[in-house]
Amino acid sequence: QVQLVESGGGLVQAGGSLRLSCAASGRTLSDYAMGWFRQAPGKEREFVAAISRTGGMTYYADSVKGRFTISRDNAKITVYLQMNSLKPEDTAVYYCAARRGIVVVTTSYDNWGQGTQVTVSS
């Protein structure tokens, strides 16, 4: 098991930026593919971005492509989500997730953080 703690959420105006961080503990982060997901009120949890164990491959939802960037620092056992040009529709609770093995763009992750709220005002 790996424990995940997200931070960096908050309130921002449309067009602004935020950087989310996901700190891991309990295991070597390089063993895990990592993903970011979000869930808005009344909606299902959806994929946002994912990164392979080495960081060599990244994947994005169409809705965030070109605006969000996922990265990882295995030495610091932290994964980041840089969010630029934020829109009101990006408002959601954002979750970090980890899974052993290959990276996937579904919710098939074994370890989840508690989430951090991102609110984008218009």
Short mmCIF file of all heavy atoms in Angstrom, two decimals, residues 7 10-11 30-31 36 38 44 49 64 66 71 82 85 89 97 102:
data_model
loop_
_atom_site.label_atom_id
_atom_site.label_comp_id
_atom_site.label_asym_id
_atom_site.label_seq_id
_atom_site.Cartn_x
_atom_site.Cartn_y
_atom_site.Cartn_z
N SER A 7 -2.45 18.21 -2.10
CA SER A 7 -2.47 19.58 -1.61
C SER A 7 -2.43 20.53 -2.80
O SER A 7 -2.15 20.10 -3.93
CB SER A 7 -1.30 19.85 -0.67
OG SER A 7 -0.07 19.67 -1.37
N GLY A 10 -7.72 25.09 -4.20
CA GLY A 10 -8.16 26.39 -3.70
C GLY A 10 -9.13 27.04 -4.65
O GLY A 10 -9.66 26.40 -5.57
N LEU A 11 -9.34 28.33 -4.42
CA LEU A 11 -10.25 29.13 -5.24
C LEU A 11 -9.43 30.01 -6.17
O LEU A 11 -8.50 30.70 -5.73
CB LEU A 11 -11.13 30.00 -4.34
CG LEU A 11 -12.04 31.02 -5.03
CD1 LEU A 11 -13.07 30.30 -5.88
CD2 LEU A 11 -12.71 31.90 -3.98
N SER A 30 8.50 4.95 -7.59
CA SER A 30 8.87 4.52 -8.93
C SER A 30 8.24 3.19 -9.31
O SER A 30 8.28 2.78 -10.47
CB SER A 30 10.38 4.46 -9.08
OG SER A 30 10.92 3.58 -8.12
N ASP A 31 7.66 2.47 -8.35
CA ASP A 31 6.96 1.22 -8.64
C ASP A 31 5.55 1.44 -9.16
O ASP A 31 4.89 0.49 -9.58
CB ASP A 31 6.88 0.35 -7.38
CG ASP A 31 8.23 -0.16 -6.93
OD1 ASP A 31 9.15 -0.20 -7.77
OD2 ASP A 31 8.35 -0.52 -5.75
N TRP A 36 -4.33 11.40 -11.98
CA TRP A 36 -5.17 12.42 -11.36
C TRP A 36 -6.59 12.25 -11.91
O TRP A 36 -6.78 12.07 -13.12
CB TRP A 36 -4.68 13.83 -11.67
CG TRP A 36 -3.48 14.25 -10.90
CD1 TRP A 36 -2.18 14.22 -11.31
CD2 TRP A 36 -3.47 14.79 -9.58
NE1 TRP A 36 -1.36 14.70 -10.32
CE2 TRP A 36 -2.12 15.07 -9.25
CE3 TRP A 36 -4.46 15.08 -8.63
CZ2 TRP A 36 -1.74 15.60 -8.02
CZ3 TRP A 36 -4.08 15.61 -7.41
CH2 TRP A 36 -2.73 15.87 -7.11
N ARG A 38 -10.91 13.61 -11.14
CA ARG A 38 -11.72 14.64 -10.49
C ARG A 38 -13.18 14.22 -10.46
O ARG A 38 -13.62 13.43 -11.28
CB ARG A 38 -11.56 15.98 -11.20
CG ARG A 38 -12.11 16.02 -12.62
CD ARG A 38 -11.75 17.35 -13.29
NE ARG A 38 -12.30 17.45 -14.64
CZ ARG A 38 -12.01 18.44 -15.49
NH1 ARG A 38 -11.18 19.42 -15.12
NH2 ARG A 38 -12.55 18.45 -16.70
N GLU A 44 -19.91 11.51 -11.96
CA GLU A 44 -19.00 10.43 -11.66
C GLU A 44 -17.55 10.92 -11.68
O GLU A 44 -17.23 11.94 -12.30
CB GLU A 44 -19.18 9.31 -12.69
CG GLU A 44 -20.52 8.62 -12.61
CD GLU A 44 -20.61 7.42 -13.53
OE1 GLU A 44 -19.67 7.21 -14.32
OE2 GLU A 44 -21.61 6.68 -13.45
N ALA A 49 -5.55 12.98 -15.90
CA ALA A 49 -4.21 12.81 -16.45
C ALA A 49 -3.55 11.62 -15.77
O ALA A 49 -3.91 11.25 -14.65
CB ALA A 49 -3.38 14.06 -16.23
N VAL A 64 -8.74 18.59 -20.91
CA VAL A 64 -7.66 19.32 -20.24
C VAL A 64 -6.39 19.37 -21.07
O VAL A 64 -5.43 20.04 -20.70
CB VAL A 64 -7.34 18.72 -18.86
CG1 VAL A 64 -8.61 18.62 -18.01
CG2 VAL A 64 -6.65 17.38 -18.98
N GLY A 66 -3.49 20.31 -23.32
CA GLY A 66 -2.97 21.62 -23.67
C GLY A 66 -3.04 22.64 -22.54
O GLY A 66 -2.43 23.71 -22.64
N SER A 71 3.37 15.67 -13.96
CA SER A 71 4.79 15.36 -13.86
C SER A 71 5.03 14.65 -12.54
O SER A 71 4.16 14.62 -11.67
CB SER A 71 5.63 16.63 -13.96
OG SER A 71 5.33 17.53 -12.90
N GLN A 82 0.01 20.55 -12.93
CA GLN A 82 -0.01 21.97 -13.22
C GLN A 82 -1.24 22.28 -14.06
O GLN A 82 -1.41 21.70 -15.14
CB GLN A 82 1.26 22.39 -13.97
CG GLN A 82 1.30 23.85 -14.35
CD GLN A 82 1.40 24.77 -13.15
OE1 GLN A 82 2.16 24.51 -12.22
NE2 GLN A 82 0.61 25.84 -13.16
N SER A 85 -4.94 28.09 -17.44
CA SER A 85 -6.14 28.49 -18.17
C SER A 85 -7.38 27.81 -17.61
O SER A 85 -8.20 27.25 -18.36
CB SER A 85 -5.98 28.16 -19.67
OG SER A 85 -4.85 28.80 -20.21
N GLU A 89 -15.75 25.00 -15.43
CA GLU A 89 -16.07 23.57 -15.54
C GLU A 89 -14.97 22.66 -15.00
O GLU A 89 -15.16 21.45 -14.90
CB GLU A 89 -16.42 23.18 -16.98
CG GLU A 89 -15.42 23.62 -18.01
CD GLU A 89 -15.81 24.93 -18.68
OE1 GLU A 89 -16.23 25.87 -17.98
OE2 GLU A 89 -15.66 25.00 -19.92
N ALA A 97 -4.06 9.16 -7.52
CA ALA A 97 -4.19 7.71 -7.42
C ALA A 97 -2.92 7.03 -7.89
O ALA A 97 -2.19 7.58 -8.73
CB ALA A 97 -5.38 7.23 -8.24
N ILE A 102 1.44 -1.00 -15.30
CA ILE A 102 1.29 -0.07 -16.41
C ILE A 102 0.30 1.04 -16.08
O ILE A 102 -0.60 0.87 -15.25
CB ILE A 102 0.85 -0.80 -17.69
CG1 ILE A 102 -0.52 -1.46 -17.49
CG2 ILE A 102 1.89 -1.83 -18.10
CD1 ILE A 102 -1.10 -2.03 -18.78
#
